[in-house]
Amino acid sequence: MSDSLEVVSADPDSSVDEGPHPLAFVALLLGNVALAAGPFLVRNSGVGPVAAGFWRLALAIPFLWLIALAVKQPIRWPRRSLTVAIFIAAFFFATDLAAWHAGILLTKLGNATLFGNISSFLFAAWGLWLIRSWPTPIQAVALLLAAIGCGLLMWGSAELSAANLRGDLLAALAGLLYTGYLILVERTRGKLQPLPLLFLASLFGAAMLLPAAITAGERITPDNWTALFALALCSQVIGQGLLVYALGHVPPLVVGIAMLTQPALSALLGWTYYGETLSARDWTGAAAIVVALILVRIKQKGGPALHEPAVAPN
């Protein structure tokens, strides 16, 4: 592969200065708001769950290309080792989408997002392990509140476990796969800018999901494309775009807890459009997650480098 196509440290498009940025946390929150609409849009996509994952990625590709050109983040084939890393990340993401979209159709919107976001805790734990540090007292309280909030939100699923079990298990499997995707993307963000990375991951993932959807005998084309275009723009271009950007600036602990805002937002959509019950317990759980997010953003002395992205030596 020629040097012109390689991502090397001397290339300004590949050696990314990843440090704190005042807008990164805002981008993280907005990205999670956009991602929270995913389950609702999948339910209204008019195609099979794997096919919905394919269209989410495929329809986003031209938009990602145009945005990358507009913001001067040229899309090139990186060096082989980096391409392999992105391909593996895309595999995790594609299988995550297939499992999660199938789970969405078998459980409540809030449950699908909640179980799918077990990656929040796993990614936060990985970030703490990476910097070889225990959480500070305030961070520990934040994690405890987030766990309590999740427990309160999951309570409704426990009451309806017979009906939701398959969907909840698929969503949990998706959460495990998504953790692998997040780790690989966070590792890669120090070497490649966000839009080229997301473009290549979307391209590889779409190529994996289309034959899977055909093999599964799913409906591939919808009668109405509105929900699929909304899914691609909202979840992939905006949601994943902002998340991948934030991963280069925000530490995994903060990213993990911020992702827990998605279950509450999806539960709200389920309550609004499908009449799914949203009790006082659910509201309390959502409030606990919000408080946890506030606590984890408090600057502290003597603790882990909370406001720095966790970047391991290459």
Side-chain angles (χ1 to χ4, degrees):
M1 191 173 293
S2 66
D3 291 341
S4 63
L5 296 180
E6 289 188 351
V7 176
V8 295
S9 59
D11 186 347
D13 294 328
S14 62
S15 181
V16 186
D17 181 13
E18 301 297 293
H21 192 283
L23 295 179
F25 183 67
V26 175
L28 176 63
L29 292 180
L30 292 176
N32 279 286
V33 170
L35 288 168
F40 171 76
L41 294 170
V42 169
R43 279 194 179 183
N44 291 277
S45 65
V47 297
V50 180
F54 162 71
W55 287 118
R56 166 178 167 165
L57 301 182
L59 293 175
I61 288 172
F63 292 99
L64 293 171
W65 179 279
L66 291 174
I67 296 171
L69 290 178
V71 300
K72 298 181 180 179
Q73 292 185 18
I75 295 171
R76 308 171 182 173
W77 286 110
R79 63 173 180 264
R80 184 173 302 174
S81 61
L82 193 53
T83 301
V84 170
I86 297 172
F87 183 86
I88 296 172
F91 171 78
F92 277 111
F93 190 44
T95 50
D96 154 62
L97 288 180
W100 191 45
H101 286 183
I104 286 169
L105 302 180
L106 298 172
T107 188
K108 295 164 62 177
L109 288 182
N111 287 6
T113 310
L114 180 65
F115 283 102
N117 275 281
I118 63 171
S119 55
S120 302
F121 290 104
L122 296 176
F123 190 58
W126 175 80
L128 290 171
W129 173 84
L130 194 64
I131 59 177
R132 304 296 195 274
S133 175
W134 290 101
T136 65
I138 292 182
Q139 292 167 14
V141 170
L143 288 169
L144 178 61
L145 278 174
I148 291 172
C150 282
L152 291 172
L153 285 169
M154 277 193 292
W155 200 274
S157 176
E159 293 173 351
L160 300 173
S161 59
N164 294 336
L165 181 60
R166 286 181 59 200
D168 290 347
L169 289 176
L170 282 169
L173 172 62
L176 292 173
L177 294 166
Y178 195 54
T179 304
Y181 165 75
L182 289 173
I183 290 173
L184 285 166
V185 168
E186 201 272 345
R187 297 295 80 204
T188 308
R189 278 289 284 112
K191 304 173 184 177
L192 195 63
Q193 292 178 311
L195 285 168
L197 193 162
L198 187 58
F199 174 88
L200 292 174
S202 300
L203 182 66
F204 291 147
M208 298 173 194
L209 287 172
L210 180 57
I214 294 173
T215 302
E218 292 186 358
R219 180 176 182 178
I220 305 297
T221 57
D223 294 326
N224 188 318
W225 288 88
T226 303
L228 284 176
F229 270 101
L231 179 66
L233 291 172
C234 194
S235 293
Q236 195 64 15
V237 177
I238 299 174
Q240 279 294 315
L242 292 174
L243 177 61
V244 169
Y245 164 76
L247 281 171
H249 302 279
V250 181
L253 182 62
V254 178
V255 172
I257 293 182
M259 288 194 300
L260 292 174
T261 59
Q262 292 182 43
L265 293 168
S266 289
L268 183 61
L269 283 173
W271 172 58
T272 302
Y273 288 95
Y274 297 111
E276 296 178 351
T277 303
L278 201 60
S279 65
R281 183 178 53 225
D282 296 321
W283 288 110
T284 303
I289 292 172
V290 171
V291 173
L293 189 57
I294 294 171
L295 288 177
V296 84
R297 288 286 294 168
I298 296 176
K299 294 184 178 181
Q300 302 159 69
K301 295 181 180 180
L306 184 60
H307 295 272
E308 297 288 343
V311 179
N314 295 320

